[in-house]
Amino acid sequence: MAQLGSAFAWGAKGRRFKSGCPDFSLQHYSYMESRSMSRWLKQIRNISLSVVLFVIILELALRFVDPTGAVALHRDLQAFELAKAADPDLGYALADGTHQFNSWKMTVENGYRVTPATNPDASCTIAFIGDSFTMGAGVDDEAVAVNLIAAELPNVHVINTGIGGYNLDQVVIRQRQTPADGYIYLALANDMYGTIPEFDDEAFRGPIRTGSALRVYLGWLNARQGAINNQHGRPGEVEDAGIAYYYKLQELDQTENVLIFFLTLGLLWEADNTVNIVPMPEYGISTADGHYNAEGNQALAEQMLPTVIEFADRTCDDA
């Protein structure tokens, strides 16, 4: 009986002890919850550090390896902005001077890219008109297709009036601004787009900065997808622009002493005998930059040269 009383007393004390102190089961739960939260936060921290490390490695790889050439193209586009000068009729032209790009340089005199191999004292003048492919974006002055052709025309003064980004309307104005006995237009499909822009001479004055290479690549991918969507997502607009461009080409072709080459992978202009089709040489500077490297300019010059020589003989005999 005494033992039962002792046990009862112990139990009562135990209940009194529990009622007077913290609940250890709740304390254990809080402890376990705290440990779980700590592990969760640690996992988030580790994942965040891994993501940051991955982005840093990706940024460095894109910046210094530049697998598609998008960073180099981005810097060249900034440098080209520095090479522009405002023009009331064209929106912009080329500023005189030597302009340094990522891996090439361009010298401009009197608004034209220099053609070192030409004969400036020749009595007959032929002007090449067009956009960046005519200008020779991506290579030094000596390696431009126009200069390579000029070297084969010792009795002709060759002028390169090409300017990057020009559309056909600007090309025609450029032609009218340039006195010559004959004109050679290297046409591309993208010349059908755009209008004459209002160029702000103070819009960009450097310095040239790459910024985030990852951001450059995302912008390049977005622009590339946009170009694909424009080609395939709005066929009506593309067709209308193509038809308008085709008639403008015909009008230009009817101008006296104009020779037109169309640089193409195969478009509707192949059916027109008035336009000389030049297959695109596969010598792009990079995946991102489709302008020709030195080999591409050499191949282009070789394809155009026979027709250009015939045109020059005919034009200069009439001059």
Side-chain angles (χ1 to χ4, degrees), residues 227-235 238:
I228 294 173
N229 292 339
N230 284 338
Q231 290 177 2
H232 303 290
R234 298 182 297 172
V238 174

Side-chain angles (χ1 to χ4, degrees), residues 49 57 116 120 144-145 153 175 223 225 236 265 292:
L49 289 175
I57 293 173
V144 177
L153 302 172
Q175 176 207 7
Q225 186 60 47
L265 288 171
Y292 299 146

Side-chain angles (χ1 to χ4, degrees), residues 18-254:
K18 287 183 179 180
S19 63
C21 295
D23 190 336
F24 284 105
S25 62
L26 180 61
Q27 195 174 48
H28 176 71
Y29 173 78
S30 299
Y31 171 72
M32 294 302 294
E33 185 179 33
S34 176
R35 287 190 62 184
S36 176
M37 179 68 71
S38 178
R39 286 196 300 268
W40 186 67
L41 291 175
K42 187 176 181 179
Q43 289 177 348
I44 291 179
R45 183 191 64 187
N46 291 339
I47 292 173
S48 299
L49 289 175
S50 298
V51 170
V52 170
L53 183 60
F54 172 77
V55 170
I56 290 174
I57 293 173
L58 181 61
E59 171 71 24
L60 293 175
L62 293 178
R63 179 181 295 271
F64 295 108
V65 179
D66 195 15
T68 69
V71 171
L73 176 61
H74 177 73
R75 293 178 65 84
D76 277 354
L77 290 174
Q78 290 188 65
F80 187 64
E81 290 298 314
L82 294 175
K84 291 179 179 180
D87 185 280
D89 299 316
L90 295 163
Y92 65 89
L94 294 178
D96 286 353
T98 298
H99 305 285
Q100 182 65 53
F101 294 84
N102 189 63
S103 60
W104 56 285
K105 62 182 178 181
M106 173 178 68
T107 302
V108 179
E109 293 179 359
N110 301 316
Y112 305 125
R113 182 168 192 177
V114 299
T115 306
T118 194
N119 178 8
D121 299 322
S123 59
C124 181
T125 299
I126 292 179
F128 281 77
I129 56 178
D131 60 10
S132 54
F133 283 84
T134 303
M135 184 184 77
V139 296
D140 294 334
D141 300 327
E142 294 77 11
V144 177
V146 172
N147 186 64
L148 300 177
I149 292 173
E152 304 299 323
L153 302 172
N155 298 319
V156 178
H157 178 207
V158 175
I159 301 174
N160 186 348
T161 75
I163 296 183
Y166 269 17
N167 56 51
L168 182 54
D169 292 337
Q170 291 168 299
V171 168
V172 170
I173 294 174
R174 188 78 162 159
Q175 176 207 7
R176 293 169 182 168
Q177 290 180 343
T178 307
D181 299 297
Y183 301 89
I184 299 175
Y185 174 33
L186 182 57
L188 280 86
N190 64 356
D191 293 352
M192 72 176 72
Y193 299 109
T195 58
I196 298 176
E198 294 184 6
F199 179 70
D200 183 358
D201 206 24
E202 299 299 325
F204 179 80
R205 281 294 169 259
I208 297 173
R209 293 191 178 95
T210 300
S212 168
L214 181 58
R215 185 175 180 180
V216 169
Y217 265 78
L218 290 174
W220 171 68
L221 290 172
N222 184 61
R224 187 174 183 178
Q225 186 60 47
I228 294 173
N229 292 339
N230 284 338
Q231 290 177 2
H232 303 290
R234 298 182 297 172
E237 294 182 25
V238 174
E239 183 178 351
D240 290 344
I243 292 173
Y245 180 64
Y246 177 72
Y247 284 115
K248 288 179 182 179
L249 268 184
Q250 283 191 322
E251 183 179 349
L252 180 62
D253 186 59
Q254 292 170 3

Side-chain angles (χ1 to χ4, degrees), residues 261-318:
F261 290 93
F262 198 90
L263 195 58
T264 178
L265 288 171
L267 296 172
L268 62 92
W269 289 277
E270 292 187 8
D272 190 342
N273 294 327
T274 64
V275 177
N276 298 278
I277 304 301
V278 183
M280 295 182 73
E282 297 183 1
Y283 298 100
I285 293 173
S286 65
T287 302
D289 190 348
H291 293 105
Y292 299 146
N293 57 21
E295 289 180 286
N297 275 270
Q298 179 69 47
L300 180 61
E302 290 174 357
Q303 293 180 58
M304 296 173 62
L305 188 58
T307 306
V308 170
I309 290 176
E310 291 179 8
F311 174 76
D313 290 343
R314 183 175 66 252
T315 299
C316 295
D317 285 344
D318 295 340

